[in-house]
Amino acid sequence: MGDQAVPAKGNILGSLIPARYILAVLGSIAMAIIYGLKVNLSVAMVAMLNHSALAHHGASSAEAKEHVNAEPVCQGSNSTEAVEDGPFIWSEPVQGIILSCYFWGYLVSQVPGARVAESFSARWVMFFSVLINVVCTLLTPVAAKMHYVAMIVMRIGEGIGGGVTFPAMHVMLASWAPPNERSVMSAIVYAGTALGTVISMLMAGVLAGTLGWESVFYVMGGLSCLWMVLWLWLIQDTPTKQPLISQEERDLITSSLGSGSSSGHNEPKPPVPWRKVFTSGPFYGILIAHICNNWGWYMLLIELPFYMKQVLQFNIKENAVVTAIPFLTMWFFSMALSKTLDALRSRGKITTTIARKTATFIASAVPMGCLLALCYIGCQRGLAVTLMTVGITAIGGMFCGLLSNHIDIAPNYAGTLMAITNTAATLSGIIVPIFVGHITHGNQTIGAWRVIFFVTIALYVLEIIAYLLLASGEEQPWNKGDKPASSIEAAEAEATPLNTKESKQSYNGQDQ
């Protein structure tokens, strides 16, 4: 039947930090590892490419296309500090494919990974996610020297591992996070993506500039192994399985989540009510916002180093620092915003719905405005860096906004809902590098990047409208099956034999 509670061993974790926050911190480190190993290639590739050869080919292409009206790139005073040419002559389209193929694997693994995490063990799903990324990262230098197709295979492997992280962590948070701490815990976990980006970009820039591009993958892959030991030692799927937790904290978590939560049980989840999910307005609010926000996120995450080099003419060390700083400020901002919104919610000043919409609005409206300004400031490098810092910082609102919203509307299916929306949003990660590579091929100018930014602005407008109209922070009726919360739910549960079966499984699996 359900899990048997493991006796607490003298509050081993709670004497230092609550067990649920040990989970949040290690979950954050896991996300940092996944994102760090994802974005390190964006920085390392600047040192891997033979820019002299590519510039020659680009000039020939530009002459052939006669870009007579193209705007010139900025003539930065530091552009003379050019990075030493690397061994690879990969054109912009090839670079786009290498960067985007990560998301091919990411796309296919999320829904299966979510169901495995919900039905068996999110803890083990997260472990293997990091393990796959570490192995593929360590093999990247060998693969790159073989052929860029081998690089593609490694990146797809990383994507398969990375794809299950958000769904698996949603399952963990649904089991561990009390409702009044959900924003903070979610922000701690998912802000790890920003922290990983900062560390990765800084380390990759320094390593590539001093020890060579291969060291980026060997050093970062090797350091990530320590996390796997700590995760298996300190983390369990639910509070009832955790022997290192105090009884007081265990009771706090399970009582706050209630008998209808997904905490404390290891029985398979009831079947997902697909028809109700795909006819739910709040679900579509999250879906549309996730797709549009991811476009902006990946535009800045993957392509920012190339904008810095192509247009603003930063060298690789400057590039790494200038690109990384905004993600550090994003981390601090997301922590402060989540804590503020949770405090206002706990005092009854705002509802969960208002909190989610406020955070998501900040995460879209501010970067939209910054990109619009960036289109018209030309080569003012200091102002450009300031605008990008403000815009990327504000994106941190998504961690306690739309990315937390799945758990609000359906905690029993939080992993699956995250997998669905993140799978759709992953298309942005596939399209963005290819789109940018196509627009900038032989035309690495401010004018080309202006087109790219305007497309991103249009998607931000769509996100704001859709989320404000459709989103909700309230639990949806279809999360509970036929639990006798209302006659309406009971009537819906009896509508078809399938729903009746779902409801019985839901009741038997939850009400223990």
Side-chain angles (χ1 to χ4, degrees):
M1 303 305 290
D3 295 340
Q4 298 297 318
V6 178
K9 294 183 178 179
N11 192 17
I12 295 177
L13 291 183
S15 61
L16 299 175
I17 184 172
R20 62 191 184 277
Y21 283 97
I22 290 286
L23 166 69
V25 170
L26 284 180
S28 183
I29 295 173
M31 301 304 292
I33 290 171
I34 294 297
Y35 264 68
L37 300 184
K38 176 199 296 186
V39 304
N40 60 8
L41 182 61
S42 295
V43 177
M45 191 179 285
V46 177
M48 295 168 69
L49 297 174
N50 188 324
H51 296 283
S52 299
L54 288 171
H56 174 73
H57 291 308
S60 301
S61 174
E63 290 173 7
K65 292 184 178 181
E66 295 183 336
H67 289 303
V68 293
N69 295 320
E71 299 176 53
V73 298
C74 302
Q75 299 301 314
S77 60
N78 294 321
S79 61
T80 56
E81 301 177 38
V83 65
E84 182 181 350
D85 282 332
F88 304 109
I89 305 175
W90 296 332
S91 66
E92 286 87 352
V94 171
Q95 295 171 36
I97 291 173
I98 292 174
L99 291 172
S100 70
C101 67
Y102 176 96
F103 300 97
W104 303 350
Y106 198 88
L107 188 68
V108 301
S109 65
Q110 293 186 73
V111 174
R115 294 308 292 162
V116 171
E118 288 175 341
S119 301
F120 300 101
S121 173
R123 170 178 176 253
W124 281 104
V125 170
M126 282 298 300
F127 175 81
F128 283 109
S129 169
V130 174
L131 176 62
I132 292 171
N133 272 265
V134 168
V135 171
C136 290
T137 296
L138 293 174
L139 293 177
T140 291
V142 176
K145 293 173 183 177
M146 290 175 60
H147 196 275
Y148 74 82
V149 172
M151 273 283 291
I152 290 174
V153 172
M154 291 299 101
R155 294 293 288 177
I156 292 175
E158 288 185 49
I160 290 173
V164 303
T165 53
F166 276 93
M169 283 311 307
H170 255 42
V171 173
M172 297 291 286
L173 287 170
S175 297
W176 278 90
N180 64 344
E181 299 178 20
R182 192 170 288 159
S183 293
V184 171
M185 289 187 64
S186 295
I188 291 173
V189 170
Y190 296 127
T193 60
L195 194 60
T197 301
V198 173
I199 295 172
S200 178
M201 287 183 167
L202 291 175
M203 286 186 64
V206 172
L207 290 170
T210 56
L211 300 179
W213 64 268
E214 296 99 328
S215 65
V216 173
F217 305 100
Y218 292 137
V219 173
M220 297 178 67
L223 290 175
S224 301
C225 295
L226 177 61
W227 175 91
M228 293 186 285
V229 176
L230 295 175
W231 182 261
L232 290 182
W233 174 36
L234 296 174
I235 302 302
Q236 296 293 334
D237 279 300
T238 64
T240 57
K241 285 184 172 182
Q242 176 59 272
L244 305 179
I245 193 175
S246 69
Q247 189 61 47
E248 292 79 11
E249 185 183 3
R250 179 180 292 158
D251 292 340
L252 168 67
I253 297 171
T254 55
S255 63
S256 67
L257 292 174
S259 60
S261 75
S262 54
S263 66
H265 303 292
N266 197 36
E267 295 192 3
K269 290 290 193 302
V272 179
W274 296 110
R275 179 180 61 82
K276 295 178 181 178
V277 169
F278 286 107
T279 56
S280 171
F283 168 76
Y284 279 107
I286 300 172
L287 177 65
I288 296 171
H290 203 164
I291 293 171
C292 296
N293 198 275
N294 256 33
W295 179 281
W297 169 248
Y298 286 124
M299 181 65 67
L300 296 169
L301 183 70
I302 299 173
E303 301 301 332
L304 189 56
F306 291 95
Y307 177 76
M308 291 291 193
K309 178 170 179 60
Q310 292 177 4
V311 175
L312 300 182
Q313 296 292 294
F314 283 95
N315 63 53
I316 187 169
K317 291 182 181 179
E318 294 175 319
N319 198 338
V321 173
V322 173
T323 305
I325 287 175
F327 291 95
L328 181 61
T329 58
M330 176 203 282
W331 187 83
F332 285 113
F333 174 73
S334 64
M335 294 295 100
L337 180 62
S338 63
K339 186 66 176 177
T340 300
L341 292 176
D342 265 357
L344 291 174
R345 287 172 59 216
S346 65
R347 296 172 189 168
K349 301 293 185 182
I350 61 173
T351 64
T352 300
T353 300
I354 295 299
R356 300 292 180 245
K357 289 184 177 182
T358 299
T360 303
F361 179 80
I362 293 171
S364 51
V366 175
M368 178 183 70
C370 291
L371 287 177
L372 183 61
L374 202 60
C375 291
Y376 296 104
I377 64 168
C379 295
Q380 300 180 59
R381 302 206 315 170
L383 183 55
V385 170
T386 300
L387 285 170
M388 286 186 284
T389 299
V390 173
I392 294 173
T393 297
I395 293 178
M398 71 177 174
F399 301 131
C400 57
L402 68 97
L403 289 185
S404 301
N405 206 181
H406 312 74
I407 307 174
D408 299 322
I409 66 172
N412 286 332
Y413 308 107
T416 295
L417 296 187
M418 169 56 88
I420 296 170
T421 66
N422 208 27
T423 297
T426 297
L427 294 174
S428 297
I430 296 174
I431 296 171
V432 162
I434 297 174
F435 171 68
V436 173
H438 175 74
I439 296 295
T440 60
H441 182 46
N443 185 27
Q444 298 177 357
T445 65
I446 296 173
W449 280 93
R450 188 174 292 150
V451 172
I452 294 166
F453 291 154
F454 269 118
V455 171
T456 306
I457 289 168
L459 291 174
Y460 272 134
V461 172
L462 175 60
E463 175 189 356
I464 292 170
I465 294 172
Y467 198 77
L468 290 180
L469 290 178
L470 297 174
S472 171
E474 303 303 316
E475 183 178 335
Q476 299 301 295
W478 42 267
N479 181 61
K480 292 185 177 179
D482 71 347
K483 277 181 71 66
S486 71
S487 59
I488 294 178
E489 291 177 16
E492 287 179 348
E494 295 174 358
T496 64
L498 177 60
N499 284 342
T500 302
K501 181 179 179 181
E502 290 177 1
S503 301
K504 287 181 178 179
Q505 291 177 350
S506 176
Y507 183 85
N508 291 334
Q510 296 171 358
D511 195 17
Q512 301 200 11

